[in-house]
Structure formats: structure tokens, C-alpha cells
């Protein structure tokens, strides 16, 4: 049984068809990327999976149908989304943001361990734990968003453009962390406009164009594909 | 007798009641950006339910001790108002969550009218007086007088405000409320059931309103189906004065409004050479509100609400 099985996922906003029936399969432990140009429908697909927007089609997570469940219930089942733009709580402290990540968890001991782990990964967050999250720099906010996702101990982590708007050095740090989270056994679906980066860290990928998946395969094969090279890698 | 000290005391008492009601407005606004105009009527329902229960108890057991009858009345008021707050949100506001802002605002006014009329049908049009079971001692202080009832009202209000602050700042529910106020979508992504949090907000605000309603009717010795209107308007003004959406602002705004109003009422006769009497005290509340909004549109402690509104 695959961790995530999606059949014919559709998302529409009024008359606009953002996602036009896509199929995705993700196995336990994989790091899969979803790439595509601006407006291809990547974010909409993620929002559909986690129930933030109205959608049609079948979404099975750990074999169970998710359709119709509210977002918070899906989150409680082990799916976590780090949204585009990070979505940190600016007027909560860094520590409170991290606490919110563990909102559905009752296992106090392991939560404390995860918190220490986040502070080890990002000492900057530890220094600023009492500070309002809104005062953090963009890169620090992305660290916080990732740290908050770690606090949820998800089975499937959906990441929407974690590199967006960050300086190269910060992008490197964020991607190191993503690789580390993946090594811990967390399954990840990574959405990126930066196809280079995404195809480097992932094992498999999907390419989306105007709401549909047009190509899928091993990341290496995608990186060598002439169409992908021309359209997304600028080669 | 020192008029200044006396009016200051009276103002603080009144102000702490305004603050309790203002908290309900501000909590709901903080989370939904909705002005729950029916909130004033919830205080009225609280007062009237307490009066009804106290009256019934005293009717059945005329010798029942006040220490039993009063808490029973307050408890009944709290239960009724919590249920009412929950139902108002479910029935009147939740279906309009995605509607344009004007829709829930108009609905809120509709709910007020319904509640007023329902109260009139249930409890009649005449004033209901508070039974004489309240403590009536008084103590001299700094050339003025403070009554037992005033001490009880202020102490209880302060305790409730402390409790609410702890709830919001220190508990899991409080953190979820603050998160929901900042972004409903992201709060859901953390696994927060936003609908539950919103219900909890209405329920807590309504419990405070119930207590405030009983306090007002005890303080003035009266209850009336129309009493929620002016109280609600003033508490709303207090919330805006302090910066709507901000809890500390609602507390500060309530206290300030009470004090300004009392001092104004105490001195307006002297100031205008007897032309205006203390019956003009209501004018002060709204004058202050207008002044503050002219010079500080976001209220004393608020962020820039004007941008969001
Ligand atoms: N809330 C919305 N209301 C209406 N249309 C929307 C909404 N969100 C997205 N769209 C439209 O849906 C389409 C897909 O948008 P989406 O954000 O999913 O793309 P994306 O692949 O994530 O793009 P980007 O790389 O720029 O983030 C776009 O045409 C967009 O304009
Ligand atoms: Mg996007």
C-alpha cells in the first residue's frame, strides 16, 4: 500500500480550473518533487490534498479516503503542509510557533525531544525563542516554518517552495535540513519552481503544466529530458 | 465628601463592568473581524435570567440565604448566556463566514432585535427590581464612601480578567485562539479545529457578559429588557477606545470609559454653570470615543485596524 494515492484530483476556483485531474503515488520514505512554472497549479494541488480548498477526485492516505475531511482532521492523521510564504504566526513567539506545530500531539516526552532537535538544527531559533516570530528575517522564518513542521512529526510532509525569496546560502541550509528530515524517514512531497534544486534532492518527480501532469519519472531521468531541460533548467 | 475620589470609585466600578463586556466584543473581533452587535443583549439576557432564578428561589424559599441564592442566579445566567453565545454563532454568523462583511453585521443587528423582543415577551416591559439580598455595608475611604457591593464587583472583575489573561496567554486553547486570530488557514494547518475555537470564543465572551449583566442589575438594582442596548454600546466604545481586537485594550478602555464618564457626570454641572446635568453622562462616553478615534484611529493599544476594516 502506498502512503499517498491520488486519482483524478481537480481543484477549481469559480470558473478557473487550477488542477485538472492529476494522479500521484508516493511510497513510504520517498522524497518526490512536483515542479512546474508559475500558475501551473502546484500550490492548488497541495491545498487540495490537505483539504484547504474544495476539490474532486480521490485522495487516499495510508489507504484511507480523505475526501470531505476538514484540514485539521487530515493534519491529525499525519499530513503537514508548510505553505507558500511560510505562514508563521507573526505575533506569537518563536517558541509558541513551535508549540503550535505540535498542537495535535499528546506525547509530551517525544515532543520535548523534537523541540531540542529543532533547536539543534537551527541554533538561531533557540537564541530567538522568546522573540515574536514577526521580527525574524525571511530565512529565519523559513527555518521556523520547517522547525514547526518537524514538531508535527508528520508521516507526509508537503513543502511549498521552501526556497522562495531566500539568499543562496540560506537555500542551502534549508535544503540540508530537508534532506535530513527525509533521512529520518519522513516522506516528502516537495513543490519547487527551482527545478534544478528539486531534481537534485528528490528521487522522483512530477512535472505540471496548466493544471495537468505532463511528465513523471526518476529525477535523474527528468533532469536529462530535453523538454525539461529547455523549459525548466534553462539549458 | 470628596467628589473627585467618590466619582473615581464609582467610575472604576462601572468601568470594570464595561471592561468585562468589552472583552467579549474584542475577542470575537480579534478572531472573526466581526462586530457582534448582539453581545449587549447577551448581558441583558444574563441579568434577566439571574433575576428570574433569584426571584423564583426566593419565592419558593423566602428564607434562603443570599450566599446560596446569588451564586445560583449567577450560575444560571452564565449557563444560559454560554448556550446563547454558542447558538448565536452557529445560527447567525457561521453560515455567513464567507459572505461580504456587511451581511453578518446586519444579521448581528437582527439578532439584537430578536433577543430584545424575546426578552420583552418573556419578562415583560416593566423594570424588575433586584431583591434586597445584596450586601449593603459601606466604608469610608479617602473622604469618600465605598460599598460592599462595589468592592465585590471590582474584585470579581479583576479576578476574571486575570483568569482570562492566563487562559489566553498560557493554555493550549488560548494559544490556539491567538493563532486562529492571526490566520485561520494556518491554524487549521496546525491541526486546530477553528470552528471549535470560534465557538469557545463566543462561549467565553458570553460567560463574561452574563456576569457583567448580573453586576449591572445588582448595581443599579434593576433589570429591563432594553438594558443591554446602552451597556453594549458603551462596552463596544470601550473596546474601540482601547483598540479593538486587543484584550488589554478592552480592559483599559473599559476602565477609562467608566472613570471619564463618572468624573464627567460629577463635574458637568459645575463646568456648564448648571446648564447640563449629570443625566448627560452618556454623552461623555461617546465624545471621548470620537476624540480618540480622530487622533488615534486604531485605539489606545490597537494596531492599525483602519487598514484592515
Ligand atoms: N484563491 C484563488 N482564487 C482564484 N484563482 C486562484 C486562486 N489561487 C490560485 N488561483 C489560480 O489558479 C492557478 C494555479 O495557481 P497555483 O497557485 O496553484 O499555481 P502554482 O503552480 O503554485 O504557481 P506558483 O509557482 O506561482 O506558486 C493560477 O491560474 C492562479 O491564478
Ligand atoms: Mg504556488
Amino acid at each position: 500500500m502506498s502512503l499517498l494515492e491520488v486519482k483524478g484530483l481537480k481543484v477549481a476556483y469559480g470558473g478557473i480550473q487550477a488542477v485538472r485531474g492529476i494522479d500521484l503515488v508516493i511510497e513510504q520514505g520517498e522524497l518526490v518533487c512536483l515542479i512546474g512554472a508559475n500558475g501551473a497549479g502546484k500550490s492548488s494541488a497541495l491545498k487540495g490534498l490537505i483539504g484547504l480548498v474544495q476539490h474532486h477526485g480521490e485522495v487516499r492516505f495510508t489507504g484511507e479516503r480523505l475526501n470531505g475531511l476538514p484540514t485539521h482532521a487530515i493534519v491529525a492523521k499525519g499530513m503537514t503542509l508548510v505553505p507558500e510564504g511560510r505562514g508563521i504566526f507573526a505575533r506569537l513567539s518563536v517558541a509558541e510557533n513551535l508549540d503550535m506545530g505540535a498542537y495535535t500531539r499528546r506525547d509530551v516526552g517525544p515532543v520535548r525531544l523534537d523541540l531540542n532537535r529543532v533547536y539543534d538544527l537551527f541554533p538561531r531559533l533557540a537564541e530567538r525563542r522568546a522573540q515574536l516570530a514577526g521580527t525574524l528575517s525571511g530565512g529565519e522564518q523559513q527555518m521556523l516554518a520547517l522547525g514547526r513542521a518537524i514538531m508535527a512529526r508528520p508521516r507526509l510532509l508537503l513543502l511549498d517552495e521552501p526556497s522562495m525569496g531566500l539568499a543562496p546560502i540560506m537555500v542551502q541550509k534549508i535544503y540540508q535540513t530537508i534532506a535530513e528530515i527525509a533521512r529520518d524517514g519522513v516522506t516528502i512531497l516537495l513543490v519547487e519552481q527551482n527545478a534544478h534544486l528539486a531534481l537534485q534532492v528528490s528521487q522522483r518527480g512530477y512535472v505540471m503544466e496548466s493544471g495537468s501532469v505532463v511528465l513523471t519519472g526518476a529525477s535523474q531521468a527528468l533532469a536529462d529530458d530535453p523538454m525539461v531541460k529547455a523549459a525548466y533548467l534553462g539549458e | 465628601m470628596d467628589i473627585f475620589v467618590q466619582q473615581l470609585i464609582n467610575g472604576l466600578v462601572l468601568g470594570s463592568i464595561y471592561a468585562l463586556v468589552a472583552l467579549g466584543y474584542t475577542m470575537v473581533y480579534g478572531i472573526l473581524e466581526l462586530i457582534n452587535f448582539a453581545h449587549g443583549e447577551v448581558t441583558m439576557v444574563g441579568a434577566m435570567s439571574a433575576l428570574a432564578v433569584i426571584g423564583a428561589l426566593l419565592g419558593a424559599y423566602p428564607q434562603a440565604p443570599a450566599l446560596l441564592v446569588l451564586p445560583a442566579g449567577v450560575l444560571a445566567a452564565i449557563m444560559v448566556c454560554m448556550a446563547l453565545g454558542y447558538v448565536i454563532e452557529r445560527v447567525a454568523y457561521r453560515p455567513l463566514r464567507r459572505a461580504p462583511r456587511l451581511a453578518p453585521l446586519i444579521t448581528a443587528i437582527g439578532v439584537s432585535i430578536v433577543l430584545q423582543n424575546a426578552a420583552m415577551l418573556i419578562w415583560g416591559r416593566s423594570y424588575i427590581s433586584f431583591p434586597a439580598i445584596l450586601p449593603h455595608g459601606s466604608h469610608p475611604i479617602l473622604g469618600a464612601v465605598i460599598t460592599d457591593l462595589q468592592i465585590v464587583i471590582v474584585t470579581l472583575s479583576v479576578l476574571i480578567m486575570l483568569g482570562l489573561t492566563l487562559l489566553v496567554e498560557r493554555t493550549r486553547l488560548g494559544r490556539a485562539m491567538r493563532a486562529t486570530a492571526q490566520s485561520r488557514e494556518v491554524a487549521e494547518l496546525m491541526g486546530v479545529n477553528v470552528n471549535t475555537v470560534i465557538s469557545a470564543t463566543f462561549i467565553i465572551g458570553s460567560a463574561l457578559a452574563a456576569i457583567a449583566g448580573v453586576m449591572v442589575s445588582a448595581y443599579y438594582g434593576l433589570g429591563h429588557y432594553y438594558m443591554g442596548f446602552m451597556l453594549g454600546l458603551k462596552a463596544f466604545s470601550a473596546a474601540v477606545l482601547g483598540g479593538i481586537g486587543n484584550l488589554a485594550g478592552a480592559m483599559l478602555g473599559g476602565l477609562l470609559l467608566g472613570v471619564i464618564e463618572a468624573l464627567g457626570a460629577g463635574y458637568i454641572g459645575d463646568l456648564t454653570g448648571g446648564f447640563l446635568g449629570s443625566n448627560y453622562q452618556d454623552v461623555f462616553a461617546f465624545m471621548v470615543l470620537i476624540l480618540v478615534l480622530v487622533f488615534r484611529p486604531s485605539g489606545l493599544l490597537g494596531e492599525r485596524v483602519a487598514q484592515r476594516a
Side-chain angles (χ1 to χ4, degrees):
Chain A
M1 180 186 69
S2 308
L3 183 65
L4 183 76
E5 276 175 280
V6 180
K7 286 207 189 86
L9 180 71
K10 288 185 190 155
V11 176
Y13 306 99
I16 305 167
Q17 288 276 335
V19 179
R20 299 163 185 265
I22 62 170
D23 300 344
L24 302 171
V25 178
I26 300 181
E27 306 298 333
Q28 174 69 43
E30 277 191 305
L31 201 174
V32 176
C33 74
L34 176 59
I35 56 178
N38 273 324
K42 307 179 298 289
S43 299
S44 302
L46 295 189
K47 286 184 182 173
L49 291 182
I50 206 157
L52 272 185
V53 292
Q54 282 271 357
H55 57 279
H56 296 281
E58 192 183 80
V59 179
R60 279 183 185 276
F61 182 52
T62 63
E64 192 185 346
R65 268 193 77 125
L66 294 185
N67 300 64
L69 283 184
T71 298
H72 62 88
I74 297 177
V75 171
K77 289 187 184 298
M79 198 190 291
T80 290
L81 167 66
V82 177
E84 202 172 342
R86 300 155 196 141
I88 62 149
F89 298 110
R91 280 174 287 135
L92 296 190
S93 71
V94 168
E96 285 178 323
N97 267 276
L98 292 174
D99 284 344
M100 285 307 297
Y103 185 79
T104 56
R105 293 177 59 184
R106 302 284 183 177
D107 47 340
V108 182
V111 166
R112 173 146 309 157
L113 289 181
D114 285 344
L115 185 63
N116 289 336
R117 166 124 196 284
V118 169
Y119 285 147
D120 283 345
L121 276 172
F122 304 116
R124 202 86 67 85
L125 295 182
E127 288 162 26
R128 289 164 171 53
R129 66 181 86 190
Q131 209 165 305
L132 288 189
T135 64
L136 298 180
S137 74
E140 290 164 349
Q141 292 191 5
Q142 188 59 264
M143 292 177 187
L144 181 57
L146 265 190
R148 200 173 57 178
I150 291 173
M151 295 302 294
R153 242 190 217 196
R155 301 197 58 183
L156 174 64
L157 178 57
L158 312 175
L159 297 171
D160 198 349
E161 307 220 18
S163 74
M164 192 169 59
L166 299 184
I169 180 130
M170 195 55 82
V171 172
Q172 210 182 357
K173 170 76 191 161
I174 295 294
Y175 268 80
Q176 272 170 12
T177 312
I178 292 173
E180 210 160 317
I181 297 173
R183 267 200 300 280
D184 281 357
V186 178
T187 310
I188 299 178
L189 176 58
L190 170 69
V191 161
E192 261 298 347
Q193 267 196 54
N194 185 337
H196 251 303
L197 211 52
L199 292 174
Q200 252 171 39
V201 295
S202 59
Q203 291 119 36
R204 276 196 312 120
Y206 292 88
V207 181
M208 256 185 108
E209 237 168 59
S210 11
S212 307
V213 169
V214 291
L215 205 59
T216 175
S219 297
Q220 190 53 52
L222 288 179
D224 294 337
D225 185 277
M227 188 283 266
V228 174
K229 272 188 171 163
Y232 303 105
L233 300 175
E235 288 171 22
Chain B
M1 190 171 76
D2 192 322
I3 292 196
F4 179 78
V5 176
Q6 189 60 58
Q7 292 302 75
L8 198 61
I9 292 171
N10 296 347
L12 283 174
V13 174
L14 211 54
S16 55
I17 299 176
Y18 291 162
L20 290 184
V21 185
L23 281 167
Y25 281 102
T26 229
M27 279 169 35
V28 165
Y29 186 88
I31 287 195
L32 287 178
E33 294 189 16
L34 160 78
I35 293 162
N36 174 18
F37 270 121
H39 191 60
E41 308 314 327
V42 177
T43 62
M44 175 274 292
V45 170
M48 300 303 268
S49 326
L51 280 169
V53 168
I54 291 171
L57 280 176
L58 287 177
Y61 314 97
Q63 300 308 321
L67 265 180
L68 231 71
V69 177
L70 268 180
V74 175
L75 209 64
I78 291 175
M79 309 279 257
V80 169
C81 288
M82 291 204 305
L84 183 62
Y86 174 79
V87 170
I88 290 175
E89 191 271 328
R90 276 309 293 261
V91 173
Y93 300 144
R94 192 172 297 183
L96 298 174
R97 202 69 70 68
R98 285 165 207 279
R101 272 161 174 258
L102 204 53
L105 201 65
I106 293 168
T107 308
I109 295 169
V111 173
S112 299
I113 296 172
V114 168
L115 288 178
Q116 268 177 27
N117 283 279
M120 189 181 75
L121 288 175
I122 298 171
W123 291 297
R125 290 167 166 277
S126 34
Y127 287 90
I128 299 177
S129 47
F130 208 99
I133 53 169
L134 294 165
H136 45 259
S138 57
H139 317 272
I141 176 173
L142 300 170
V145 174
I146 187 164
T147 67
D148 284 341
L149 183 60
Q150 287 180 319
I151 294 175
V152 170
I153 289 176
V154 172
T155 314
L156 204 58
S157 302
V158 169
L159 288 178
I160 290 170
M161 288 189 250
L162 272 178
L164 182 73
T165 308
L166 282 178
L167 174 88
V168 170
E169 294 294 329
R170 292 287 148 80
T171 67
R172 183 167 178 269
L173 173 64
R175 200 157 51 226
M177 287 168 78
R178 285 181 292 139
T180 303
Q182 290 182 46
S183 166
R184 263 182 265 166
E185 191 172 282
V186 182
E188 276 279 328
L189 283 177
M190 300 295 111
V192 175
N193 184 340
V194 164
N195 279 332
T196 307
V197 168
I198 291 172
S199 289
T201 306
F202 272 83
I203 289 171
I204 294 169
S206 302
L208 301 193
I211 297 169
V214 181
M215 285 176 174
V216 170
S217 61
Y219 195 50
Y220 291 119
L222 294 170
H224 188 239
Y225 78 92
Y226 203 61
M227 67 184 280
F229 177 72
M230 191 51 89
L231 181 59
L233 209 54
K234 288 199 184 153
F236 170 64
S237 307
V240 174
L241 178 64
I244 193 149
N246 181 308
L247 290 190
M251 299 178 197
L252 178 70
L255 288 176
L256 268 181
L257 200 71
V259 168
I260 291 166
E261 194 177 293
L263 289 179
Y267 288 104
I268 190 171
D270 296 346
L271 287 174
T272 60
F275 179 64
L276 297 177
S278 62
N279 49 337
Y280 276 82
Q281 70 172 44
D282 288 347
V283 174
F284 278 94
F286 303 115
M287 258 169 37
V288 170
L289 178 69
I290 290 167
L291 279 179
V292 169
L293 287 184
V294 166
F295 292 105
R296 233 190 115 74
S298 51
L300 296 173
L301 303 183
E303 289 145 51
R304 256 156 283 151
V305 174
Q307 282 187 343
R308 295 199 285 165

